Amino acid sequence: VPLAMCGDFNVAPGEQDVWDQAQFLGSTHVSAPERDAIGALLEVGFTDVQPRALKGAPFTYWDYRAGMFHKGFGMRIDLVLLDGRLTSRVRDAYIDRDARKGSKPSDHAPVVVDLGPPAA
């Protein structure tokens, strides 16, 4: 059975996944144990689907304080990890920033992954 793990992992897997690595030193979301845990999932065969950003950096989370969303100060902590049977079917992956706009939005934007049909 194909397997997908998706959701708010609260871990930014790499330095490119936070707006400023220096701002997070000694903090959650970027610690070695957290990143090692994601790395262990990748080592057993999962792929971290890298969504494209429709606008701005490919972040999925922005703190509500200090206008972080409008400044582009975010993180990619909402992940889609797929096994090989699903990875081969990815047609597109993107972050829906528009879902983060509007009145009383979430502080997260969804990651959308379009999968094609299974191989025959």
Side-chain angles (χ1 to χ4, degrees), residues 57-117:
F59 298 142
T60 61
Y61 168 84
W62 299 263
D63 195 319
Y64 284 121
R65 296 171 286 185
M68 302 295 261
F69 179 71
H70 299 290
K71 293 177 184 175
F73 295 170
M75 298 186 283
R76 184 177 74 95
I77 60 174
D78 301 275
L79 309 177
V80 175
L81 305 179
L82 303 178
D83 73 7
R85 291 163 288 193
L86 290 175
T87 301
S88 63
R89 295 171 48 193
V90 174
R91 290 181 173 173
D92 193 11
Y94 62 91
I95 298 165
D96 184 4
R97 282 178 47 101
D98 286 341
R100 173 61 172 78
K101 298 176 182 177
S103 99
K104 298 184 181 182
S106 170
D107 48 1
H108 295 262
V111 177
V112 179
V113 178
D114 179 17
L115 297 176

Side-chain angles (χ1 to χ4, degrees), residues 4-71:
M5 291 187 281
C6 315
D8 178 3
F9 282 69
N10 276 324
V11 179
E15 291 186 15
Q16 73 281 359
D17 296 315
V18 295
W19 65 275
D20 182 356
Q21 186 73 24
Q23 296 292 322
F24 293 92
L25 291 178
S27 181
T28 61
H29 306 305
V30 301
S31 71
E34 291 169 313
R35 287 181 168 170
D36 290 347
I38 297 295
L41 293 171
L42 302 179
E43 286 178 19
V44 297
F46 286 93
T47 297
D48 178 9
V49 174
Q50 300 287 319
R52 63 187 171 88
L54 297 178
K55 179 181 178 185
F59 298 142
T60 61
Y61 168 84
W62 299 263
D63 195 319
Y64 284 121
R65 296 171 286 185
M68 302 295 261
F69 179 71
H70 299 290
K71 293 177 184 175

